Amino acid sequence: MEWSIEGPFSGAAGQTVRDVQEALYWFDTSLVRVQKRANLTPFVSDQLVQCAELLRARMLDEADSVTSRGNQWSATIGPLSMTLTPIG
C-alpha cells in the first residue's frame, strides 16, 4: 500500500507501507516533522493538529475495510488530503 499527503504539505510525506496501521504511524511522524520544518504559527499548528486528529479518526474508521477490498481510500480535512492506494 502507498500513502501520501497532498495539499500545502505536498511532498512532505508519503511512502510504501504494509497496512493502514503503518500508514498511521508514518502519518503521525510526518506531521511532527512538518510542524517543526514549516515554522508554523501556534494557531496554524493547532489547526493542523485538529485536522490531523479528524483525518486519523476517519482512517481508523474507514480505510482498512476499503483498502482490504483493493480499493483506494482518500479523505480531505482542512489542508490535509490523505490517499491510501493498495498495490500489487
Side-chain angles (χ1 to χ4, degrees):
M1 168 181 316
E2 294 180 336
W3 75 276
S4 62
I5 295 176
E6 303 300 328
F9 306 108
S10 185
Q15 67 201 83
T16 301
V17 293
R18 290 183 306 264
D19 55 25
V20 173
Q21 291 301 317
E22 188 176 2
L24 282 166
Y25 169 81
W26 288 110
F27 172 69
D28 291 341
T29 301
S30 296
L31 284 172
V32 170
R33 189 172 51 235
V34 164
Q35 286 179 293
K36 289 179 182 177
R37 291 184 183 166
N39 200 20
L40 304 174
T41 66
F43 177 76
V44 172
S45 183
D46 287 345
Q47 285 187 320
L48 183 63
V49 167
Q50 290 174 9
C51 291
E53 287 173 358
L54 293 171
L55 186 56
R56 190 177 204 290
R58 285 203 48 200
M59 288 173 69
L60 287 169
D61 185 47
E62 305 167 1
D64 196 45
S65 65
V66 172
T67 57
S68 67
R69 292 190 306 263
N71 297 318
Q72 183 180 68
W73 177 89
S74 64
T76 300
I77 298 178
L80 298 175
S81 292
M82 169 65 76
T83 301
L84 297 171
T85 306
I87 53 177

